Amino acid sequence: MSSIEKYIDKLDKQAAVPVVDRASISDDAAYSAEPIQSLGGQVDQYANKSKTVQVDLDKLARIGALIPTDKTSKIVEEYRAIKRPLIKKAFNSSAIDLPNSNVIMVTSTTPEEGKTFNAICLAMSIVMEMDYTVLLIEADLARPAIIKYMGIEGIDKGLVDYLLEDETNMANLIFRTNIPKLSILAAGQRHAGATELISSDRMKNFIQELAQRYSDRIVIIDSPPLLMSNDAIILSGLAGQVVLIVESGKTGQFAVKEAIEKLDENRITGVILNKHLGGSGNDYGYYNKNEL
Ligand SMILES: Nc1ncnc2c1ncn2[C@@H]1O[C@H](COP(=O)(O)OP(=O)(O)OP(=O)(O)O)[C@@H](O)[C@H]1O
Ligand SMILES: [Mg+2]
C-alpha cells in the first residue's frame, strides 16, 4: 500500500469534527464560563507589551468554535484527541529530522473546508493545557479571516508589513489577547505579491525565529488551500507539522490525493474530517464512488 493510500485509509480513524450547531446548546452550558484569567499560565513574552486585544468569545461561540471556558461541548472532546499527537510531536526531542516541529500548519485541498475554524479551535484547545503558549498566525494573505472570526479590533499591521519591512519590530506585530497564553499575528496590509513574500528568505527566517525563541510555544499557521496557489505549498515547507482539513461529504478522493502528493509525508500529522454528520466511514464524500 502506498503512503498516500495509507493516509487515505487512515482517514476514518482520525478525529472527526462535527458540524457544530450552537443553537442546540443551551446558554447555560455554553457560557458556564469561569473567568478567563483562571486558566492561568504564562503570557507570551514576545508579544506587544502595551496592548492586549480582545477576543470576542460570544462571537466565537456563535459560530460554534471551541472557546477555552467551555468544558462541556462535543468539540472540546474532539479536540482533546486531535491535539495530543500534535503536542507530542511538537516537543519530541528525538524529532531531529523535523525542524520547526512546534509549527503546525492548518490547510485543506480546496477553499471553505474549515481551515480557519479548525486553526482557531486548535489554538483554543492547546491554550487550555497548562504548559503551552500559542501564537496563531493569519497566513492566508488572500482571504484572512482569523481576526474577523474572533471579533478582534485594533490590529492594523501584521505579517505582510513585516515581510515588506514596513514594520521590523516583531513586538509591534504580535498581540497578546485577553486569553492568557494566546497571541495573534494578523495578515496585515493587503499586498498583490503574496507568493513572493511567503517564499522569501525573510519569511523563512521569521518562522524559524518564532519557532525557536520560546521552548513552550506552539505556532499555528492558518493557510490558503493547497490546490489553489503555491503559497500553501511553500508554507508547508516551513512548518514542521501539517494538519489537513477534509470537509466531510465534499472533498473528493482525487483532490485529497493530489494535495497529499504536494506535501512532505513526514510532516502530515493529522487529517481532520470536518463538518462530519456521523455515520460510518463509507458515508464520507471522500469515498464517493463517482470520483473513483
Ligand atoms: N465544524 C464546523 N461546524 C460548524 N461550522 C463550521 C465548521 N467548520 C467550518 N465551519 C464554518 O464553515 C465556513 C467556512 O469555514 P472556514 O472559513 O474556516 O473555511 P476555510 O477553509 O478557512 O475557508 P477559506 O478557504 O475561505 O479560507 C465558516 O462559516 C465556518 O464558521
Ligand atoms: Mg480561511
Side-chain angles (χ1 to χ4, degrees), residues 20-39:
V20 184
D21 177 13
R22 279 280 165 178
S24 66
I25 300 171
S26 78
D27 280 356
D28 283 356
Y31 303 106
S32 56
E34 54 190 281
I36 295 176
Q37 285 75 4
S38 71
L39 289 167

Side-chain angles (χ1 to χ4, degrees), residues 130-179:
M130 290 305 285
D131 301 332
Y132 310 106
T133 61
V134 172
L135 171 64
L136 186 55
I137 303 184
E138 198 172 53
D140 185 348
L141 302 182
R143 290 160 71 118
I146 287 182
I147 300 302
K148 188 175 82 184
Y149 285 6
M150 296 179 105
I152 295 174
E153 291 176 358
I155 298 184
D156 57 357
K157 288 181 195 160
L159 182 57
V160 172
D161 302 82
Y162 182 78
L163 297 176
L164 288 173
E165 299 188 44
D166 285 353
E167 173 61 71
T168 52
N169 184 354
M170 290 185 206
N172 290 336
L173 298 168
I174 297 172
F175 287 84
R176 294 179 183 181
T177 70
N178 52 328
I179 298 170

